[in-house]
Amino acid sequence: MNIAMLGSGFIARFYADTLHAQRRRDQITAVYSRNETNAKRFASDYGLNAYSTKMAKVIKDESIDAVIIALPNHLHEEAVMACAKYGKAVLCTKPLGRNASEAKRMLDAVEQAGVFAGYLEDLCYTPKFLKSVDSVQAGSLGRILWTKSREAHPGPHSDWFWDKDLSGGGAIIDLGCHCVEIGRNFIGKSVRPVEVMCWADTQVHPIEAEDHAIGLVRYENGAIGQFEVSWTFRGGMDLRDEVMGTEGTIWLNSFLRTGFDMFTTGKGGKYVAEKAESDSGWLFPVGDEAHELGYPHMFTDMFDAMEQGRAPLETFYDGYVVNAILDAALLSAKTKNWEKVILEDWRGKSDPRHEKSYASHDEKYYLIKKELLPNGDEKLILKDKITGEVKQETKRN
Amino acid sequence: MNIAMLGSGFIARFYADTLHAQRRRDQITAVYSRNETNAKRFASDYGLNAYSTKMAKVIKDESIDAVIIALPNHLHEEAVMACAKYGKAVLCTKPLGRNASEAKRMLDAVEQAGVFAGYLEDLCYTPKFLKSVDSVQAGSLGRILWTKSREAHPGPHSDWFWDKDLSGGGAIIDLGCHCVEIGRNFIGKSVRPVEVMCWADTQVHPIEAEDHAIGLVRYENGAIGQFEVSWTFRGGMDLRDEVMGTEGTIWLNSFLRTGFDMFTTGKGGKYVAEKAESDSGWLFPVGDEAHELGYPHMFTDMFDAMEQGRAPLETFYDGYVVNAILDAALLSAKTKNWEKVILEDWRGKSDPRHEKSYASHDEKYYLIKKELLPNGDEKLILKDKITGEVKQETKRN
Amino acid sequence: MNIAMLGSGFIARFYADTLHAQRRRDQITAVYSRNETNAKRFASDYGLNAYSTKMAKVIKDESIDAVIIALPNHLHEEAVMACAKYGKAVLCTKPLGRNASEAKRMLDAVEQAGVFAGYLEDLCYTPKFLKSVDSVQAGSLGRILWTKSREAHPGPHSDWFWDKDLSGGGAIIDLGCHCVEIGRNFIGKSVRPVEVMCWADTQVHPIEAEDHAIGLVRYENGAIGQFEVSWTFRGGMDLRDEVMGTEGTIWLNSFLRTGFDMFTTGKGGKYVAEKAESDSGWLFPVGDEAHELGYPHMFTDMFDAMEQGRAPLETFYDGYVVNAILDAALLSAKTKNWEKVILEDWRGKSDPRHEKSYASHDEKYYLIKKELLPNGDEKLILKDKITGEVKQETKRN
Amino acid sequence: MNIAMLGSGFIARFYADTLHAQRRRDQITAVYSRNETNAKRFASDYGLNAYSTKMAKVIKDESIDAVIIALPNHLHEEAVMACAKYGKAVLCTKPLGRNASEAKRMLDAVEQAGVFAGYLEDLCYTPKFLKSVDSVQAGSLGRILWTKSREAHPGPHSDWFWDKDLSGGGAIIDLGCHCVEIGRNFIGKSVRPVEVMCWADTQVHPIEAEDHAIGLVRYENGAIGQFEVSWTFRGGMDLRDEVMGTEGTIWLNSFLRTGFDMFTTGKGGKYVAEKAESDSGWLFPVGDEAHELGYPHMFTDMFDAMEQGRAPLETFYDGYVVNAILDAALLSAKTKNWEKVILEDWRGKSDPRHEKSYASHDEKYYLIKKELLPNGDEKLILKDKITGEVKQETKRN
């Protein structure tokens, strides 16, 4: 595929580094940037023939098969509309919109134009995550009860992130979009998110938006998708996910503890990894940063999906649902109430699945718990199915 | 010291194992249990001369210097009152009461009687925790912004835990009391807890009380003390704490990952550790369970404090504050609102400390962020002190 | 590139899975296997047009740009000779030969034929390893003193591995080839390996070859490259490397502890990862097995090198050196002496670099050590440059 | 017990901190030091009534029940002889002697005098280690094949360590004594150590003795006890042990990765832990240093043993065996041969236990290996019991 890149900043370079590595077939051939110097530098760095400061020109070029939007949040809608207009496949950086309305307009535009549209939610494509979701779907964890996704670091790379109007918000929009979608994948995308409770504060930075937030998303089946996001974390970039199910547990650490420990007095220091805060002492690099963050597997799915005429794993519809959840989170942070997730367009299941089945000990009792004690005794905690009385039985072994 | 133990169950045995180990000076000399068989077995197992089914008899015995209450929650008050009546030093298992009213009555009773009273909050005495609090108090983490304490396992040992009337609640009372007090220690006990938001649900077990809950405690200075408690966790006993400050981070893992990994096909299997769920495959024992859970350091502080005529690190007043916070949490879980922490007796600071100071880049700008990019460039994010405008400057290195 | 695969077993499938993933440009188009059923199944599984039981036919086909040898060790030489004969680029699975003589004949053949020849030493291409070598070469660890590479698992996949004549040996040949080359990369490929001490034993399996061995390779500059290999390890596949330098340390864990922990009761069980021993309890999968084992980066380097007319990072010469070191190891295991590494063709440096420089405290003393004691004192250990006397000075802080 | 401490340096203080903590019964009441200022300071710091520069005076005092030798290695013999002479129970710091002859003389002296004698091998008393040995003895790991014990740090605390004549050697004597005894405990103290191969070098420091060594101790039953010791390690104090058995694996990390991670920018910096190299960045403290290093459990066993009239877990005989093994290691480092362990006084088993039993697949075949492949196939590797031929069978699932 021939790809046009819209944007030339941090994320555009990460995408380009990914696509132009590992002898991949799909290559960037043109770049658009608002700033000509940046456009030119990007084209030169990646060996592109074409660069321009005119977005439409780059998009509508006949040689282009797909467009990647790597622009600040406030420019996503304009770019998506242009792709829809010119009938080009479009891949848009997360978050899709600054809010659900914006996201919905983009969703409608690509669906009406009938163009392929992929949502570049890279952290739902890390190899660890993909394999975890496989295990969850295979039933290894039983019924999912709770997920936690955490992204925390000392703050983003570019000025516009820190300006609420351009970005749509602070850490919630910037990082929460990852965490919410990670939770949805584990809990099941067909399960409706119902309401959100969120705490947010601006604890450290001289900005208007929140730099720290914790949220709980309640799903119709009773599962909770927790997110923890911060621009105030010290120590690097903390990317961790957890899942609890009735039959098991998953803990993922995607960045600071991946089996690569290095101590150095600092001789020979240089760039360690995204958001690393030090170049001496104990450091925790990752082997291949793009890979650990999911970029290669994400683009593979996107272009495979285009060729196979199927939807990618992460679609504009997912981006829209995420925005709707984040809208509720931002509102909740203000009202201090649980706020409903407003989804005018819900495509999942509508019947709440809330069935619980209790383990029976025998005809008369439920089994609450069986446990081996340090002194070798075995203890059963039982509940009378009719009276509700709880009792215990201990067997001395 | 000569110690009377009230109770002969799981926790009483853990205490006794701790006190009768490591050639410690203080010894249990008598035990009370409601059940004579249990009292006798306990006395025999630990070589005690005296056992009884009459609580008062055991407490008032002249040879007794201190009483340890290791009874179910609903029996704490009666036992504390008896100790106060007979003028005996009393150490009470966590939680102090089933609610703040009960705790307040106990607090008042011991203060009026003038007896020594210690709150057996073991997890605030683990060696890792004590050293962490030292570091926090020394300023290594700067201003504390957020703490998280998590305790999750497949459920408690005895029948009464599962009965809401006897225990006072489910996972929130049983485990949340640890987590809340851990947060208070890191944030500072003199900082007032203001309000609590809590989600709770009964996701798995056939019981009335919650078996899973997440709560946020907001303190007057803006810090958040998060707790995560569950009786539905699979994989053993998950005990982890985290602290974020403006200058640093602490991560504690007190049980499942402490530098002791064992794989076994299962030959020779036996008791691994509290709440372990398996005796084959990869197992994660702890070296010395009582030590990792804080028991030895807790009793050392308690008896040292008695001898030195000072308060222990954890007092009945702390137990009362914890109960007040948990009351708010239980209420919030029902009302789905942030609920005020009602503390009729507040002994900490009353002036909110909410000052923030921003780092200046120069006279005109605040420094939001300084960062090294992968291509070697250095980027500054700045904010105009007057206009509030955010901009970035990039230096090519 | 169009690639012919020789072999259709475990490693051939791993290579094919790697090459036919992530939208890579280079594709396998033909397969050779001694067994027609296997050849056919492989061709069908990977969508190849051509399969054959005639090796020469597959190699000499005009459409083929490169040949990958994924055959048992005893068939490498024949296959390399055929590639040389037909002038085809050849990539050979590790170890290159069963011994240095065999490896040398292969090296000579490809050099005389002038064909591109790459040594498929995947574990020298894992992303963690590549970044570690970068750090070492940048000086972050100072002068390298010692490296340890460990590969241990419950035993290999195919019958021929267990037959000493076909494989050339046991765990030393099978796993030691990785470990030795990892050590060479860290210590520096231009530093001559001088001698080897090796212990080996057949501790568990009913086989002729060793199933467990430890070896020390001494290099001309005094550095030691330690290898630990075993077919008797329980718990999965243990892949760990360590490096000690005068300025730092690296610890790599490439398989069993990479930030992915999963507990499951076993519902939904299935294939976890290469050599996993269990499908319940605590499991430690890797995200993307081929990636963690280095395959994608290895093939990228190989085909890039072919196109750019340069040598790959791992060459047949490296394979030859590794075989020479392993020959010394196998001999040492028998003679119980340190055995010289016989390298008739040495292309690295020949002058031993053994310079040490000591840190001076002042004109009179070397500084042996400076240390902060628990009580706050600072202690200096000094050595008189002339008399050699050692003394200490303590400053009370 | 009333204890006399001989010595007032680093290790004496560690012992005293341990004994005067946690409300232990046994207390130090007198101290001897060659240097009066140090003796006085020590007595003052620990509240002792008596201090002296006369060793005999301190030892023979009637009030003293036991003597702890915390002196440099070259003074152990003199002190032990004095204890024997005055009939006092004696606990001697590791290593027992500078060599086996010295150790043997001490062993003979205490046995002839009939005094209690304990060998203060603290690392064989860490709680993790004690529980590991329990698991090994319970059979959880099957037959032990290999152990590895590693102690590495940037170098010891006092001048005399660095002087070969006073210490008896370098890292081998200082650290190897721990590692060797750890291996003996896992393999079984009744199994005879037969021979040792050791590499040693002075890689970094301006000293005569080795600052880095690797050794393999071969036991009569074929097990290997590997030791890795260094005074050149960067990053703190590396204390790790590993055990491989036919049924399982144990990995212990006793210092740098124990579930306590802290990042700090360095504000509030102070003493972190023994041999820590930094007070900013990522730090890895331990909760309770004495506990993690085994001191409390060691003294508990020693004094319990004295009272119970039994031998402690670690005796002077163990110290003698360790010295004999280290003598062979030091010799091997020079001769570059495997050197016999010379034990004129062997008290363990004398019949080599080398039996191996192979798993049968059926009457005709041994089972070498059973494995699940990624594509779901199950593979068996079999060996004909008579012909020795190896073959594989694959079942497609």
Side-chain angles (χ1 to χ4, degrees), chain C residues 71-344:
Chain C
L71 297 165
N73 298 351
H74 63 293
L75 302 176
H76 288 189
E77 185 173 4
E78 177 195 347
V80 167
M81 294 305 167
C83 292
K85 179 176 169 190
Y86 296 114
K88 288 295 169 79
V90 56
L91 311 180
C92 185
T93 295
K94 62 90 221 172
L96 184 55
R98 284 174 294 181
N99 51 55
S101 311
E102 212 174 60
K104 187 63 165 59
R105 289 195 298 271
M106 292 186 245
L107 171 64
D108 290 345
V110 295
E111 293 192 338
Q112 280 155 25
V115 298
F116 178 93
Y119 176 50
L120 298 179
E121 175 41 82
D122 58 300
L123 292 184
C124 292
Y125 283 101
T126 75
K128 282 172 185 164
F129 181 79
L130 292 172
K131 192 175 269 187
S132 299
V133 169
D134 275 355
S135 290
V136 165
Q137 289 176 350
S140 299
L141 268 63
R143 177 162 56 94
I144 300 305
L145 304 171
W146 173 81
T147 73
K148 195 265 295 285
S149 180
R150 175 176 178 81
E151 180 163 1
H153 58 60
H157 309 280
S158 294
D159 49 5
W160 64 264
F161 279 100
W162 302 90
D163 182 323
K164 207 176 173 170
D165 294 330
L166 303 184
S167 61
I172 291 177
I173 278 286
D174 180 31
L175 309 177
C177 59
H178 291 304
C179 302
V180 159
E181 185 64 353
I182 285 169
R184 280 187 73 224
N185 270 278
F186 282 127
I187 290 165
K189 287 189 177 179
S190 64
V191 184
R192 187 169 189 141
V194 177
E195 55 181 356
V196 184
M197 164 54 63
C198 181
W199 162 85
D201 199 355
T202 310
Q203 290 187 310
V204 172
H205 298 96
I207 56 170
E208 269 47 73
E210 75 285 350
D211 56 15
H212 198 166
I214 316 283
L216 301 175
V217 184
R218 202 174 65 75
Y219 287 79
E220 202 167 28
N221 67 354
I224 290 288
Q226 180 172 327
F227 63 85
E228 299 179 11
V229 294
S230 184
W231 286 347
T232 70
F233 179 76
R234 303 305 304 263
M237 183 158 68
D238 186 18
L239 288 181
R240 283 178 291 163
D241 303 317
E242 300 185 17
V243 192
M244 282 172 62
T246 51
E247 302 292 332
T249 297
I250 284 177
W251 294 339
L252 301 182
N253 194 325
S254 298
F255 223 68
L256 284 176
R257 296 293 183 275
T258 62
F260 190 159
D261 298 17
M262 177 164 122
F263 177 87
T264 174
T265 58
K267 304 221 170 146
K270 49 175 203 166
Y271 179 79
V272 175
E274 189 182 340
K275 278 133 190 157
E277 292 206 289
S278 170
D279 55 11
S280 69
W282 281 104
L283 307 176
F284 299 90
V286 287
D288 175 342
E289 207 164 334
H291 176 91
E292 298 299 326
L293 295 175
Y295 295 117
H297 287 73
M298 176 176 75
F299 284 121
T300 294
D301 177 55
M302 290 293 163
F303 296 124
D304 280 354
M306 279 176 67
E307 285 182 0
Q308 296 161 11
R310 63 165 172 85
L313 292 179
E314 293 291 322
T315 65
F316 270 34
Y317 182 72
D318 293 314
Y320 159 66
V321 175
V322 168
N323 269 128
I325 293 173
L326 296 181
D327 283 358
L330 284 159
L331 184 59
S332 168
K334 273 188 206 144
T335 63
K336 301 183 71 174
N337 293 317
W338 286 85
E339 294 291 343
K340 296 277 169 231
V341 178
I342 297 167
L343 281 168
E344 54 183 273

Side-chain angles (χ1 to χ4, degrees), chain A residues 342-360:
Chain A
I342 298 168
L343 281 168
E344 53 182 275
D345 180 5
W346 173 243
R347 301 178 183 180
K349 289 189 203 153
S350 54
D351 51 328
R353 194 175 44 103
H354 216 140
E355 76 289 342
K356 294 177 202 167
S357 59
Y358 299 130
S360 275

Side-chain angles (χ1 to χ4, degrees), chain D residues 273-286:
Chain D
E274 190 183 340
K275 279 132 190 159
E277 291 206 290
S278 169
D279 56 11
S280 70
W282 280 105
L283 306 176
F284 300 89
V286 287

